[in-house]
Amino acid sequence: MFNNDISIDLGTATVLIYIKNKGVVLREPSIIAVNTKENKVVGVGNDALKMLGRTPPDIRVVRPLSDGVISSLTLTQEMIRLFLAKVIHTNIIRPRIMMCVPTGITDVEQRAVVEAARDVGANDIYVIEEPVAAALGAGYDISKPCGVMIVDIGGGTTDIAVLSLGGIVVSRSLKIAGDEFTEEIIRYMKREYGIIIGPRTAEHIKIEAGGVIPHPKEVLCTAKGISVLEGLPYSVTVSSDALYGIFDDLLYNITERVKEVLEETPPELHSDIIQNGITLTGSGALIYGLDKRLAEAAGVKVRLAEDIEKCVVLGAGAALEEIDTVDDPTHIYHKKAYIRD
Protein backbone atom coordinates (compact mmCIF):
# COMPACT_ATOMS: atom_id res chain seq x y z
CA MET A 1 0.00 0.00 0.00
CA PHE A 2 1.56 3.26 -1.12
CA ASN A 3 1.57 6.34 1.10
CA ASN A 4 -1.02 7.98 -1.15
CA ASP A 5 -3.53 5.16 -0.61
CA ILE A 6 -6.67 5.99 1.37
CA SER A 7 -9.51 3.83 2.68
CA ILE A 8 -12.91 5.23 3.66
CA ASP A 9 -15.64 3.69 5.83
CA LEU A 10 -18.80 5.43 4.64
CA GLY A 11 -21.02 4.66 7.61
CA THR A 12 -24.57 5.80 8.29
CA ALA A 13 -23.54 7.36 11.60
CA THR A 14 -19.81 7.94 11.20
CA VAL A 15 -17.24 8.36 8.44
CA LEU A 16 -13.70 7.11 9.06
CA ILE A 17 -10.72 7.78 6.79
CA TYR A 18 -7.48 5.83 7.05
CA ILE A 19 -4.09 6.55 5.47
CA LYS A 20 -1.27 4.04 5.81
CA ASN A 21 1.56 5.14 8.10
CA LYS A 22 -0.77 7.77 9.55
CA GLY A 23 -3.62 5.58 10.81
CA VAL A 24 -7.20 6.82 11.12
CA VAL A 25 -6.88 10.50 10.29
CA LEU A 26 -10.58 11.37 10.41
CA ARG A 27 -13.51 10.08 12.46
CA GLU A 28 -16.52 12.37 12.26
CA PRO A 29 -20.32 12.05 12.21
CA SER A 30 -21.97 11.45 8.82
CA ILE A 31 -23.84 14.73 9.05
CA ILE A 32 -23.95 17.93 7.04
CA ALA A 33 -25.49 21.38 7.59
CA VAL A 34 -26.96 23.32 4.67
CA ASN A 35 -28.18 26.90 4.34
CA THR A 36 -31.35 26.39 2.30
CA LYS A 37 -31.66 30.07 1.34
CA GLU A 38 -28.20 30.24 -0.19
CA ASN A 39 -28.03 26.53 -1.09
CA LYS A 40 -24.62 26.37 0.57
CA VAL A 41 -22.99 23.91 2.96
CA VAL A 42 -22.18 25.62 6.26
CA GLY A 43 -20.80 22.69 8.22
CA VAL A 44 -19.87 19.04 8.01
CA GLY A 45 -19.03 16.32 10.54
CA ASN A 46 -18.27 17.62 14.03
CA ASP A 47 -19.05 21.20 13.02
CA ALA A 48 -22.50 20.19 11.79
CA LEU A 49 -23.15 18.07 14.88
CA LYS A 50 -22.69 21.14 17.09
CA MET A 51 -25.53 22.79 15.16
CA LEU A 52 -27.98 19.89 15.57
CA GLY A 53 -31.15 21.12 17.29
CA ARG A 54 -29.79 24.66 17.51
CA THR A 55 -30.34 26.08 14.01
CA PRO A 56 -32.67 28.76 12.60
CA PRO A 57 -35.31 27.63 10.06
CA ASP A 58 -33.11 28.31 7.02
CA ILE A 59 -30.35 25.91 8.13
CA ARG A 60 -30.97 22.17 7.91
CA VAL A 61 -28.76 19.62 9.62
CA VAL A 62 -29.22 16.25 7.95
CA ARG A 63 -27.73 12.77 7.64
CA PRO A 64 -27.37 12.09 3.90
CA LEU A 65 -27.22 8.36 4.65
CA SER A 66 -30.16 6.75 6.41
CA ASP A 67 -30.54 3.08 7.39
CA GLY A 68 -27.55 2.17 5.26
CA VAL A 69 -29.04 3.82 2.16
CA ILE A 70 -28.05 7.11 0.57
CA SER A 71 -31.05 9.42 0.96
CA SER A 72 -29.41 12.39 -0.77
CA LEU A 73 -26.84 11.74 -3.50
CA THR A 74 -25.86 15.41 -3.79
CA LEU A 75 -25.27 15.90 -0.05
CA THR A 76 -23.43 12.58 0.24
CA GLN A 77 -21.09 13.60 -2.56
CA GLU A 78 -20.48 16.97 -0.94
CA MET A 79 -19.89 15.40 2.49
CA ILE A 80 -17.31 12.95 1.09
CA ARG A 81 -15.61 15.72 -0.88
CA LEU A 82 -15.30 17.96 2.18
CA PHE A 83 -14.04 15.14 4.41
CA LEU A 84 -11.40 14.14 1.85
CA ALA A 85 -10.37 17.78 1.45
CA LYS A 86 -9.58 17.82 5.19
CA VAL A 87 -7.07 14.97 4.96
CA ILE A 88 -5.68 15.15 1.42
CA HIS A 89 -2.78 17.56 1.36
CA THR A 90 -0.37 18.63 -1.34
CA ASN A 91 2.01 15.76 -0.51
CA ILE A 92 -0.70 13.23 -1.41
CA ILE A 93 -0.81 13.26 -5.19
CA ARG A 94 -3.54 11.41 -7.11
CA PRO A 95 -4.39 8.98 -4.31
CA ARG A 96 -5.91 5.54 -4.75
CA ILE A 97 -9.10 5.21 -2.72
CA MET A 98 -10.96 2.18 -1.38
CA MET A 99 -14.57 3.07 -0.58
CA CYS A 100 -16.36 0.83 1.91
CA VAL A 101 -20.09 0.99 1.28
CA PRO A 102 -23.32 -0.52 2.72
CA THR A 103 -24.31 -3.86 1.20
CA GLY A 104 -27.64 -2.44 0.00
CA ILE A 105 -26.13 0.36 -2.05
CA THR A 106 -27.36 0.63 -5.66
CA ASP A 107 -25.17 1.10 -8.74
CA VAL A 108 -26.39 4.69 -9.04
CA GLU A 109 -25.49 5.43 -5.41
CA GLN A 110 -22.16 3.66 -5.82
CA ARG A 111 -21.23 5.76 -8.83
CA ALA A 112 -22.22 8.90 -6.93
CA VAL A 113 -19.79 8.25 -4.09
CA VAL A 114 -17.10 7.33 -6.60
CA GLU A 115 -17.58 10.64 -8.40
CA ALA A 116 -17.17 12.44 -5.08
CA ALA A 117 -13.77 10.77 -4.71
CA ARG A 118 -12.89 11.81 -8.24
CA ASP A 119 -13.55 15.45 -7.32
CA VAL A 120 -10.51 15.46 -5.04
CA GLY A 121 -8.24 14.08 -7.76
CA ALA A 122 -8.28 10.38 -6.91
CA ASN A 123 -6.43 8.16 -9.35
CA ASP A 124 -7.95 4.68 -8.95
CA ILE A 125 -11.15 4.13 -6.96
CA TYR A 126 -12.35 0.76 -5.66
CA VAL A 127 -15.43 -0.37 -3.74
CA ILE A 128 -15.73 -3.02 -1.00
CA GLU A 129 -18.73 -4.25 0.99
CA GLU A 130 -18.79 -3.70 4.76
CA PRO A 131 -18.86 -7.35 5.99
CA VAL A 132 -15.89 -8.23 3.79
CA ALA A 133 -13.89 -5.26 5.02
CA ALA A 134 -14.91 -6.01 8.61
CA ALA A 135 -13.60 -9.59 8.35
CA LEU A 136 -10.28 -8.40 6.94
CA GLY A 137 -10.02 -5.70 9.61
CA ALA A 138 -10.68 -8.30 12.31
CA GLY A 139 -7.61 -10.19 11.12
CA TYR A 140 -9.17 -13.04 9.14
CA ASP A 141 -7.66 -14.41 5.94
CA ILE A 142 -10.90 -14.91 4.05
CA SER A 143 -9.12 -16.07 0.88
CA LYS A 144 -8.88 -19.56 2.40
CA PRO A 145 -11.62 -22.25 2.24
CA CYS A 146 -12.55 -21.60 5.85
CA GLY A 147 -15.80 -20.20 7.21
CA VAL A 148 -15.76 -16.84 8.99
CA MET A 149 -18.90 -15.28 10.45
CA ILE A 150 -19.16 -11.53 10.95
CA VAL A 151 -21.95 -9.49 12.54
CA ASP A 152 -21.24 -5.84 11.74
CA ILE A 153 -23.53 -3.51 13.68
CA GLY A 154 -23.19 0.05 12.51
CA GLY A 155 -25.39 3.07 13.00
CA GLY A 156 -28.10 2.34 10.44
CA THR A 157 -27.70 -1.31 9.44
CA THR A 158 -26.61 -4.66 10.80
CA ASP A 159 -24.81 -6.82 8.25
CA ILE A 160 -24.53 -10.54 9.00
CA ALA A 161 -22.35 -12.65 6.73
CA VAL A 162 -20.51 -15.93 6.45
CA LEU A 163 -17.43 -15.60 4.26
CA SER A 164 -15.11 -18.09 2.60
CA LEU A 165 -12.72 -18.09 -0.37
CA GLY A 166 -12.77 -14.31 -0.62
CA GLY A 167 -16.54 -13.90 -0.91
CA ILE A 168 -19.85 -13.83 0.94
CA VAL A 169 -21.47 -17.27 1.15
CA VAL A 170 -24.64 -16.34 3.08
CA SER A 171 -25.72 -12.94 4.32
CA ARG A 172 -28.52 -10.85 5.79
CA SER A 173 -28.83 -7.10 6.18
CA LEU A 174 -31.41 -5.43 8.39
CA LYS A 175 -32.15 -1.83 9.23
CA ILE A 176 -31.80 -2.32 12.97
CA ALA A 177 -28.55 -1.09 14.47
CA GLY A 178 -27.11 1.50 16.84
CA ASP A 179 -29.45 4.30 15.77
CA GLU A 180 -32.52 2.17 16.53
CA PHE A 181 -31.24 1.48 20.05
CA THR A 182 -30.84 5.24 20.49
CA GLU A 183 -34.36 5.88 19.17
CA GLU A 184 -35.74 3.29 21.58
CA ILE A 185 -34.31 5.27 24.49
CA ILE A 186 -35.98 8.44 23.17
CA ARG A 187 -39.34 6.64 22.99
CA TYR A 188 -38.86 5.11 26.44
CA MET A 189 -38.04 8.45 28.08
CA LYS A 190 -41.16 10.06 26.59
CA ARG A 191 -43.38 7.11 27.51
CA GLU A 192 -42.15 6.45 31.04
CA TYR A 193 -40.91 9.85 32.24
CA GLY A 194 -42.88 12.30 30.11
CA ILE A 195 -39.70 13.94 28.85
CA ILE A 196 -38.59 14.64 25.29
CA ILE A 197 -34.83 14.26 24.80
CA GLY A 198 -32.66 14.71 21.72
CA PRO A 199 -30.56 12.07 19.97
CA ARG A 200 -27.30 13.30 21.51
CA THR A 201 -28.71 12.91 25.03
CA ALA A 202 -30.11 9.48 24.15
CA GLU A 203 -26.76 8.39 22.74
CA HIS A 204 -25.06 9.47 25.96
CA ILE A 205 -27.54 7.44 28.02
CA LYS A 206 -27.02 4.41 25.77
CA ILE A 207 -23.26 4.53 26.21
CA GLU A 208 -23.30 5.22 29.94
CA ALA A 209 -26.23 3.15 31.21
CA GLY A 210 -27.60 1.17 28.26
CA GLY A 211 -27.32 -2.58 27.97
CA VAL A 212 -29.18 -5.76 27.03
CA ILE A 213 -28.31 -7.47 30.32
CA PRO A 214 -28.15 -5.95 33.83
CA HIS A 215 -24.94 -4.14 34.73
CA PRO A 216 -22.98 -5.70 37.64
CA LYS A 217 -23.59 -2.47 39.52
CA GLU A 218 -26.47 -0.08 38.91
CA VAL A 219 -25.49 2.90 36.74
CA LEU A 220 -27.43 6.17 37.06
CA CYS A 221 -27.55 8.73 34.29
CA THR A 222 -29.15 12.19 34.16
CA ALA A 223 -31.34 13.05 31.18
CA LYS A 224 -32.22 16.65 30.39
CA GLY A 225 -35.01 17.55 28.02
CA ILE A 226 -38.47 19.11 27.76
CA SER A 227 -41.50 18.10 29.80
CA VAL A 228 -44.30 16.75 27.59
CA LEU A 229 -46.99 18.23 29.86
CA GLU A 230 -45.51 21.62 30.64
CA GLY A 231 -43.22 22.28 27.69
CA LEU A 232 -40.53 23.44 30.11
CA PRO A 233 -36.96 22.23 30.71
CA TYR A 234 -36.95 19.11 32.82
CA SER A 235 -34.41 16.54 34.01
CA VAL A 236 -34.72 13.02 35.39
CA THR A 237 -32.37 10.30 36.56
CA VAL A 238 -32.58 7.00 34.71
CA SER A 239 -31.19 3.69 35.96
CA SER A 240 -29.42 0.99 33.96
CA ASP A 241 -31.66 -1.52 35.74
CA ALA A 242 -34.69 0.04 34.05
CA LEU A 243 -33.14 0.26 30.58
CA TYR A 244 -31.85 -3.21 29.75
CA GLY A 245 -35.28 -4.71 29.05
CA ILE A 246 -36.40 -2.09 26.51
CA PHE A 247 -34.17 -3.44 23.75
CA ASP A 248 -35.56 -6.99 23.70
CA ASP A 249 -37.54 -6.58 20.45
CA LEU A 250 -34.56 -5.08 18.63
CA LEU A 251 -32.26 -7.78 19.92
CA TYR A 252 -34.75 -10.49 18.92
CA ASN A 253 -34.72 -9.30 15.30
CA ILE A 254 -30.93 -9.34 15.17
CA THR A 255 -30.59 -12.78 16.77
CA GLU A 256 -33.26 -14.27 14.48
CA ARG A 257 -31.38 -13.08 11.40
CA VAL A 258 -28.16 -14.50 12.82
CA LYS A 259 -29.86 -17.87 13.30
CA GLU A 260 -31.22 -17.73 9.73
CA VAL A 261 -27.71 -17.21 8.36
CA LEU A 262 -26.40 -20.09 10.44
CA GLU A 263 -29.21 -22.35 9.19
CA GLU A 264 -28.39 -21.54 5.56
CA THR A 265 -24.65 -21.95 5.96
CA PRO A 266 -23.27 -25.07 4.22
CA PRO A 267 -22.50 -27.86 6.72
CA GLU A 268 -18.83 -27.87 5.72
CA LEU A 269 -18.43 -24.35 7.10
CA HIS A 270 -20.28 -24.95 10.38
CA SER A 271 -17.31 -26.59 12.08
CA ASP A 272 -15.17 -23.54 11.27
CA ILE A 273 -17.76 -21.19 12.79
CA ILE A 274 -18.12 -23.36 15.89
CA GLN A 275 -14.34 -23.29 16.31
CA ASN A 276 -13.80 -19.59 15.50
CA GLY A 277 -17.10 -18.27 16.81
CA ILE A 278 -18.92 -15.16 15.64
CA THR A 279 -17.03 -11.88 15.52
CA LEU A 280 -18.83 -8.62 16.31
CA THR A 281 -17.66 -5.42 14.64
CA GLY A 282 -19.01 -1.87 14.44
CA SER A 283 -19.74 0.71 17.13
CA GLY A 284 -23.31 -0.55 17.54
CA ALA A 285 -21.94 -3.84 18.92
CA LEU A 286 -20.55 -2.05 21.98
CA ILE A 287 -23.85 -1.88 23.84
CA TYR A 288 -23.32 -3.70 27.12
CA GLY A 289 -24.00 -7.46 27.10
CA LEU A 290 -24.79 -7.81 23.40
CA ASP A 291 -22.09 -10.43 22.87
CA LYS A 292 -23.42 -12.55 25.74
CA ARG A 293 -27.06 -12.40 24.60
CA LEU A 294 -26.11 -13.24 21.03
CA ALA A 295 -23.97 -16.21 22.11
CA GLU A 296 -26.83 -17.52 24.23
CA ALA A 297 -29.33 -17.25 21.37
CA ALA A 298 -27.08 -18.68 18.63
CA GLY A 299 -25.37 -21.37 20.67
CA VAL A 300 -21.99 -20.23 19.35
CA LYS A 301 -19.27 -18.31 21.15
CA VAL A 302 -19.16 -14.61 20.29
CA ARG A 303 -16.23 -12.22 20.59
CA LEU A 304 -15.74 -8.51 20.10
CA ALA A 305 -13.15 -7.67 17.47
CA GLU A 306 -10.10 -5.65 18.43
CA ASP A 307 -10.34 -2.04 17.22
CA ILE A 308 -14.03 -2.79 16.85
CA GLU A 309 -14.97 0.66 15.57
CA LYS A 310 -12.06 0.76 13.09
CA CYS A 311 -12.38 -2.78 11.72
CA VAL A 312 -14.13 -1.81 8.51
CA VAL A 313 -11.79 1.02 7.51
CA LEU A 314 -8.69 -1.00 8.42
CA GLY A 315 -9.99 -3.95 6.40
CA ALA A 316 -10.65 -1.71 3.41
CA GLY A 317 -7.04 -0.56 3.65
CA ALA A 318 -5.84 -4.17 3.77
CA ALA A 319 -7.86 -5.00 0.65
CA LEU A 320 -6.35 -2.02 -1.16
CA GLU A 321 -2.88 -3.19 -0.25
CA GLU A 322 -3.58 -6.64 -1.74
CA ILE A 323 -4.64 -5.21 -5.10
CA ASP A 324 -0.99 -5.03 -6.13
CA THR A 325 -0.56 -8.79 -5.58
CA VAL A 326 -3.15 -9.94 -8.14
CA ASP A 327 -3.33 -9.66 -11.92
CA ASP A 328 -6.99 -8.59 -12.04
CA PRO A 329 -7.97 -6.21 -9.20
CA THR A 330 -11.68 -6.63 -9.92
CA HIS A 331 -11.44 -10.23 -8.70
CA ILE A 332 -10.27 -9.38 -5.21
CA TYR A 333 -12.64 -8.83 -2.29
CA HIS A 334 -14.44 -5.74 -3.58
CA LYS A 335 -17.27 -5.78 -6.10
CA LYS A 336 -16.09 -3.32 -8.72
CA ALA A 337 -13.18 -1.10 -9.59
CA TYR A 338 -13.40 2.32 -11.17
CA ILE A 339 -10.22 3.43 -12.87
CA ARG A 340 -9.55 7.01 -13.84
CA ASP A 341 -8.67 7.36 -17.52
Side-chain angles (χ1 to χ4, degrees):
M1 190 174 185
F2 300 102
N3 288 334
N4 64 338
D5 285 356
I6 298 171
S7 59
I8 303 172
D9 175 9
L10 186 62
T12 301
T14 308
V15 172
L16 288 90
I17 299 180
Y18 170 87
I19 301 177
K20 191 180 180 183
N21 297 327
K22 293 185 179 180
V24 176
V25 296
L26 182 139
R27 185 184 187 279
E28 296 197 25
S30 309
I31 190 168
I32 190 167
V34 182
N35 186 316
T36 55
K37 282 187 178 180
E38 301 177 9
N39 195 27
K40 182 176 69 174
V41 173
V42 294
V44 67
N46 289 328
D47 292 335
L49 184 63
K50 294 174 184 176
M51 303 179 193
L52 188 63
R54 299 182 172 93
T55 61
D58 56 332
I59 295 181
R60 294 174 56 237
V61 181
V62 298
R63 292 187 182 275
L65 293 97
S66 177
D67 295 331
V69 177
I70 294 175
S71 56
S72 172
L73 292 176
T74 302
L75 291 181
T76 299
Q77 284 183 300
E78 185 65 9
M79 183 179 70
I80 295 170
R81 188 186 67 79
L82 291 170
F83 279 147
L84 285 172
K86 287 186 177 185
V87 300
I88 294 181
H89 307 295
T90 54
N91 61 328
I92 301 180
I93 302 172
R94 292 173 63 83
R96 298 191 307 176
I97 294 179
M98 178 70 80
M99 302 285 296
C100 185
V101 296
T103 53
I105 197 170
T106 66
D107 286 342
V108 172
E109 293 169 336
Q110 187 167 275
R111 290 185 179 277
V113 299
V114 166
E115 287 305 315
R118 288 193 188 280
D119 288 344
V120 296
N123 188 24
D124 300 345
I125 306 165
Y126 306 95
V127 177
I128 187 171
E129 290 179 306
E130 287 180 357
V132 181
L136 293 170
Y140 290 108
D141 181 358
I142 62 172
S143 66
K144 296 180 179 179
C146 180
V148 172
M149 187 165 183
I150 296 291
V151 178
D152 180 52
I153 307 177
T157 60
T158 293
D159 287 306
I160 306 158
V162 173
L163 304 102
S164 179
L165 289 172
I168 296 176
V169 180
V170 186
S171 69
R172 288 287 189 282
S173 182
L174 66 157
K175 301 183 188 304
I176 294 176
D179 289 348
E180 274 298 312
F181 282 82
T182 303
E183 287 294 324
E184 188 59 42
I185 291 176
I186 293 175
R187 290 189 288 267
Y188 171 78
M189 297 302 293
K190 183 177 181 180
R191 181 176 67 248
E192 297 297 325
Y193 295 93
I195 181 174
I196 299 173
I197 62 172
R200 294 183 69 180
T201 300
E203 183 73 17
H204 173 72
I205 294 171
K206 182 178 73 174
I207 293 170
E208 293 295 320
V212 294
I213 62 174
H215 286 251
K217 184 178 179 180
E218 183 184 21
V219 179
L220 299 177
C221 193
T222 300
K224 298 178 181 179
I226 299 173
S227 170
V228 173
L229 295 177
E230 300 174 358
L232 299 174
Y234 191 63
S235 68
V236 298
T237 300
V238 61
S239 166
S240 59
D241 291 345
L243 284 176
Y244 76 88
I246 72 172
F247 304 118
D248 283 350
D249 288 345
L250 301 177
L251 187 60
Y252 174 80
N253 278 285
I254 293 174
T255 55
E256 286 300 298
R257 301 296 85 74
V258 169
K259 288 192 282 187
E260 285 178 7
V261 169
L262 284 170
E263 289 170 2
E264 294 180 21
T265 298
E268 290 79 5
L269 298 178
H270 267 271
S271 60
D272 300 326
I273 295 171
I274 291 172
Q275 179 179 343
N276 297 325
I278 298 170
T279 299
L280 293 179
T281 64
S283 59
L286 290 172
I287 189 165
Y288 182 74
L290 182 61
D291 54 337
K292 294 180 175 61
R293 287 286 299 272
L294 184 56
E296 181 183 353
V300 180
K301 63 183 179 182
V302 176
R303 73 175 185 93
L304 298 176
E306 295 183 16
D307 289 326
I308 190 169
E309 296 177 274
K310 301 177 184 177
C311 260
V312 170
V313 75
L314 294 176
L320 185 55
E321 185 172 3
E322 290 192 26
I323 284 177
D324 297 320
T325 67
V326 295
D327 294 330
D328 184 357
T330 62
H331 288 165
I332 202 169
Y333 307 124
H334 45 81
K335 294 190 295 184
K336 296 181 180 179
Y338 295 81
I339 314 296
R340 177 180 284 275
D341 297 327

